[in-house]
């Protein structure tokens, strides 16, 4: 049986891909189109906030290096604070994952 945390990672990736109109193959590609980058950044951010996985584990599941996950998480946090469209996208993905809307950790990045 698969670990529940890995199921959460898969759900985050699939719902993020659906939201941004990205295929699973595009998600693991090296292309740098805005919608792909935003999809990955949102996925990295939510994976860090909603699971207990390490950066390397998230990177492995998402087909990225752990330093890319760290950068993407930090960049997503910045975008959430200054780009209302990106913040709304992360909110919508979060809501589709059926997590509490009033989660106090929703848009804070722990350092």
């Amino acid at each position: 049986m698969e670990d529940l945390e890995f199921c959460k990672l898969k759900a985050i990736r699939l719902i993020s891909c659906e939201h941004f109109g990205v295929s699973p193959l595009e998600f693991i590609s090296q292309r740098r189109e805005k919608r792909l980058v935003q999809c990955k950044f949102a996925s990295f951010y939510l994976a860090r906030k909603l699971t207990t996985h390490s950066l390397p584990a998230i990177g492995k599941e998402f087909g990225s290096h752990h330093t890319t996950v760290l950068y993407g998480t930090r960049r997503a946090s910045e975008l959430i604070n200054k780009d209302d469209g990106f913040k709304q996208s992360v909110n919508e993905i979060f809501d589709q994952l059926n997590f509490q809307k009033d989660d106090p950790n929703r848009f804070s990045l722990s350092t």
Side-chain angles (χ1 to χ4, degrees):
M1 185 173 151
E2 270 191 294
D3 178 53
L4 179 60
E5 291 293 306
F6 277 108
C7 290
K8 286 182 185 179
L9 289 178
K10 286 183 180 187
I12 289 167
R13 185 183 65 219
L14 292 174
I15 292 171
S16 294
C17 283
E18 181 180 304
H19 179 83
F20 286 100
V22 172
S23 76
L25 286 177
E26 287 177 309
F27 186 88
I28 61 171
S29 75
Q30 299 299 313
R31 292 176 23 214
R32 302 280 304 152
E33 294 172 29
K34 183 177 180 177
R35 69 185 177 87
L36 294 173
V37 171
Q38 287 191 340
C39 180
K40 290 178 184 185
F41 286 178
S43 296
F44 296 158
Y45 178 84
L46 289 168
R48 288 291 289 160
K49 300 309 285 180
L50 303 175
T51 73
T52 59
H53 284 296
S54 65
L55 293 170
I58 293 168
K60 183 176 180 181
E61 180 65 26
F62 290 168
S64 298
H65 193 269
H66 72 276
T67 57
T68 304
V69 176
L70 179 61
Y71 173 79
T73 301
R74 289 178 177 165
R75 186 71 179 117
S77 182
E78 293 170 6
L79 287 171
I80 285 167
N81 290 322
K82 66 181 181 181
D83 181 339
D84 289 337
F86 183 76
K87 181 177 182 176
Q88 182 178 346
S89 290
V90 173
N91 265 326
E92 290 170 4
I93 295 164
F94 184 88
D95 292 344
Q96 286 183 358
L97 290 165
N98 295 316
F99 292 102
Q100 295 288 333
K101 286 187 179 185
D102 59 350
D103 184 343
N105 295 316
R106 189 171 190 182
F107 292 114
S108 65
L109 182 63
S110 301
T111 54

